[in-house]
């Protein structure tokens, strides 16, 4: 190495054999319907047009949900009171309601 930085030198400096989570593989090979796969792909890529993204582009957007400062996809799917109740009810039907507590710990 001559001491200069390049993308090639950065990649060469990364540890070999590191774990990479390829979420797209799990999404596209799942049994879910195509529109659900597409939605999850948008979620993983942070490309859902929520209020935070609409504000960034100067587009009209709804006011707040649950007195939340910023509406984003994490709030919509996980931290919103209504979302947490939804996940609890779904998980309760399959007797896994204890996992809803784990969702609360993720946040």
């Amino acid at each position: 190495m001559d001491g200069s930085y390049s993308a090639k030198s950065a990649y060469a400096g990364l540890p070999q054999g590191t774990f990479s989570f390829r979420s797209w593989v799990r999404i596209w090979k799942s049994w879910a319907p195509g529109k659900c796969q597409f939605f999850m792909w948008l979620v993983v890529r942070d490309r859902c047009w929520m209020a935070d993204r609409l504000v960034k582009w100067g587009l009209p957007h709804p006011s707040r949900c649950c007195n939340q400062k910023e509406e984003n996809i994490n709030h919509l799917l996980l931290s919103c009171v209504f979302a947490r109740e939804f996940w609890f009810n779904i998980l309760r039907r399959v007797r896994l309601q204890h996992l809803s507590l784990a969702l609360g710990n993720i946040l």
Side-chain angles (χ1 to χ4, degrees):
M1 295 213 140
D2 61 1
S4 63
Y5 174 80
S6 69
K8 183 178 180 179
S9 68
Y11 281 113
L14 291 174
Q16 297 299 316
T18 59
F19 176 78
S20 67
F21 179 71
R22 300 179 327 167
S23 57
W24 66 89
V25 172
R26 292 182 183 268
I27 291 170
W28 296 118
K29 292 192 180 245
S30 75
W31 51 265
K35 56 183 157 185
C36 295
Q37 292 174 337
F38 183 69
F39 175 72
M40 288 310 300
W41 182 74
L42 290 174
V43 168
V44 167
R45 307 266 307 154
D46 194 24
R47 297 290 187 243
C48 293
W49 283 88
M50 302 297 298
D52 60 342
R53 190 177 209 80
L54 295 171
V55 167
K56 179 181 173 184
W57 288 91
L59 297 170
H61 59 282
S63 58
R64 298 183 261 176
C65 169
C66 311
N67 294 322
Q68 180 79 6
K69 273 200 264 182
E70 195 175 278
E71 182 189 275
N72 57 33
I73 197 67
N74 282 337
H75 175 71
L76 177 72
L77 296 178
L78 297 173
S79 65
C80 176
V81 173
F82 301 109
R84 292 177 91 159
E85 184 177 346
F86 169 80
W87 289 119
F88 177 80
N89 288 327
I90 293 292
L91 292 168
R92 185 177 61 193
R93 288 182 182 200
V94 293
R95 300 176 191 241
L96 294 173
Q97 63 269 22
H98 61 280
L99 294 178
S100 67
L101 296 174
L103 285 175
N105 292 333
I106 292 171
L107 308 171

